[in-house]
Amino acid sequence: MLDNRIATFLTVCHHMNFTKAGEELSLTQPAVSQHIHYLEELYGVKFFEFKGKKMFLTEEGKTFLNYAKTMRHNDICLKEKLDMMKQQKTLLNFGATLTIGEFLMPQCLSAYLKKNPNLMVKMQVANTKELLEKIDEGEIDFAFVEGYFSKEEYDSMLYSREEYIAVCGRQYPFKKEPIWLEDLFSERIIIREKGSGTREIFEKAISEQNVSIDDFLYIAEVGNIQTIKRLTEENLGITFLYRAAVQEEIENGKLRELKLKNFQSSHDFNCIWRKGSMFEDRYRKIFYDMKQQEKE
């Protein structure tokens, strides 16, 4: 069971305000202060410092917050696991970003379920930022993500390395065939929403060319990959997606790849979980089993 003083610390970190934390926890401000003081005395460090009226975490506080999140995650996952054991059931509770969940996970999960027919499954699809929050809150055990994450907070294993490419409709009306990334600036770019791993990877890749999304004349933000592909097929713009997400459309001629001389990008898809999790061995075994059965 998670110590209530740890819960208080996490709530204070969320609000960075003792009074608001107290309101959420139905505690008085002095009681919140007492909980934090107890932990600081126990570990012999200060977790918070003030600059004017604004509160910040100390370096020691940041380190403790990392471990406190893992404690909370372990506590929630342990309760869930014990409940499943009581019901004589096994639950696979994880998340995946949109590209992985829609284009890579079906085959992998299908093979895994055939080997484990009595398994209960919960798979949540969201962007990387949302999945990290779900891991921290104990809503999911682990996640397959394409976006960036803190190596200090999460352990990871490489799932795959995927190529990122530019595509357009089969008959997109270019004035002249694009050769360089800059040749696309006069076109509409159809791109995922801010916060998605796909968007984040693309922005980082073009930043290496001193380019930003704002350099494109028209921008369309769409939170669904199938819609992005359909709009691109209809010659309403160009897009950048992982090859795995558009391979079928390229093969059947609905989309075509744009070979740009100054744009080559690939990115790692990772399986991640809270660093220091008591269930790390279980997560690693699930990962290895999924990878093995995917190959069979």
Side-chain angles (χ1 to χ4, degrees):
M1 179 177 176
L2 189 69
D3 188 292
N4 62 344
R5 286 164 291 212
I6 300 293
T8 299
F9 172 79
L10 287 166
T11 307
V12 171
C13 289
H14 176 72
H15 293 287
M16 293 308 286
N17 184 288
F18 280 25
T19 302
K20 289 182 179 179
E23 290 173 354
E24 179 177 328
L25 297 168
S26 298
L27 294 173
T28 63
Q29 193 272 338
V32 172
S33 298
Q34 187 178 40
H35 284 187
I36 300 302
H37 181 68
Y38 173 86
L39 292 172
E40 290 178 333
E41 286 288 312
L42 180 64
Y43 291 99
V45 296
K46 285 290 183 182
F47 293 144
F48 301 99
E49 60 184 356
F50 289 86
K51 295 178 181 178
K53 293 184 178 180
K54 197 164 185 180
M55 187 165 71
F56 297 88
L57 279 166
T58 62
E59 289 304 312
E60 293 83 357
K62 292 176 183 176
T63 298
F64 190 74
L65 174 60
N66 187 23
Y67 282 96
K69 285 181 178 179
T70 299
M71 286 184 228
R72 177 175 58 189
H73 176 88
N74 284 342
D75 184 62
I76 295 170
C77 292
L78 179 59
K79 289 176 183 175
E80 184 178 73
K81 182 173 177 60
L82 292 174
D83 184 56
M84 288 293 104
M85 290 175 67
K86 186 168 60 176
Q87 299 179 48
Q88 296 184 323
K89 296 177 180 178
T90 303
L91 174 66
L92 181 64
N93 183 14
F94 70 104
T97 48
L98 188 58
T99 300
I100 298 174
E102 191 167 354
F103 300 102
L104 298 180
M105 196 48 58
Q107 179 182 352
C108 176
L109 188 56
S110 174
Y112 190 77
L113 286 176
K114 287 176 182 177
K115 293 286 186 178
N116 300 274
N118 298 320
L119 190 67
M120 293 181 63
V121 176
K122 288 183 183 179
M123 186 183 87
Q124 298 190 43
V125 176
N127 65 43
T128 299
K129 182 176 181 294
E130 292 169 336
L131 291 175
L132 295 179
E133 291 173 354
K134 289 179 184 296
I135 291 176
D136 292 348
E137 296 294 330
E139 291 183 37
I140 56 176
D141 295 341
F142 59 92
F144 292 91
V145 302
E146 63 204 76
Y148 297 104
F149 58 91
S150 169
K151 299 291 180 67
E152 294 181 357
E153 294 189 52
Y154 305 93
D155 277 326
S156 65
M157 297 186 70
L158 178 66
Y159 179 74
S160 64
R161 183 166 287 118
E162 301 292 333
E163 188 181 5
Y164 203 68
I165 62 173
V167 294
C168 68
R170 182 177 56 184
Q171 297 178 331
Y172 190 85
F174 289 113
K175 291 181 180 178
K176 71 171 186 175
E177 184 67 13
I179 299 174
W180 306 96
L181 179 61
E182 292 78 3
D183 294 337
L184 298 175
F185 287 173
S186 60
E187 313 299 333
R188 175 187 288 111
I189 182 172
I190 308 170
I191 196 71
R192 285 285 307 280
E193 77 285 0
K194 291 180 180 179
S196 74
T198 304
R199 168 74 170 260
E200 191 175 17
I201 301 310
F202 175 64
E203 288 185 321
K204 187 174 187 300
I206 62 175
S207 71
E208 295 173 359
Q209 305 290 334
N210 293 316
V211 169
S212 77
I213 287 179
D214 292 333
D215 288 316
F216 291 86
L217 185 59
Y218 305 106
I219 302 169
E221 293 186 355
V222 179
N224 180 278
I225 292 178
Q226 294 294 349
T227 302
I228 290 175
K229 293 197 292 183
R230 181 60 184 273
L231 293 174
T232 307
E233 288 173 16
E234 296 292 331
N235 299 312
L236 296 173
I238 56 94
T239 192
F240 291 77
L241 289 170
Y242 288 106
R243 182 179 295 280
V246 293
Q247 188 61 43
E248 182 178 343
E249 287 78 9
I250 291 175
E251 290 176 355
N252 63 30
K254 291 182 178 180
L255 295 174
R256 68 183 180 93
E257 181 180 356
L258 297 171
K259 302 284 189 178
L260 304 176
K261 291 186 177 181
N262 61 339
F263 183 85
Q264 290 83 37
S265 179
S266 62
H267 189 69
D268 294 346
F269 287 3
N270 289 288
C271 177
I272 67 169
W273 57 87
R274 286 294 313 175
K275 185 178 285 291
S277 171
M278 64 187 291
F279 299 106
E280 178 179 348
D281 290 344
R282 175 174 177 264
Y283 301 154
R284 288 184 181 274
K285 184 179 186 306
I286 291 171
F287 176 86
Y288 284 126
D289 287 349
M290 279 187 166
K291 289 293 289 181
Q292 181 61 37
Q293 286 153 25
E294 184 184 26
K295 297 174 183 177
E296 293 178 357

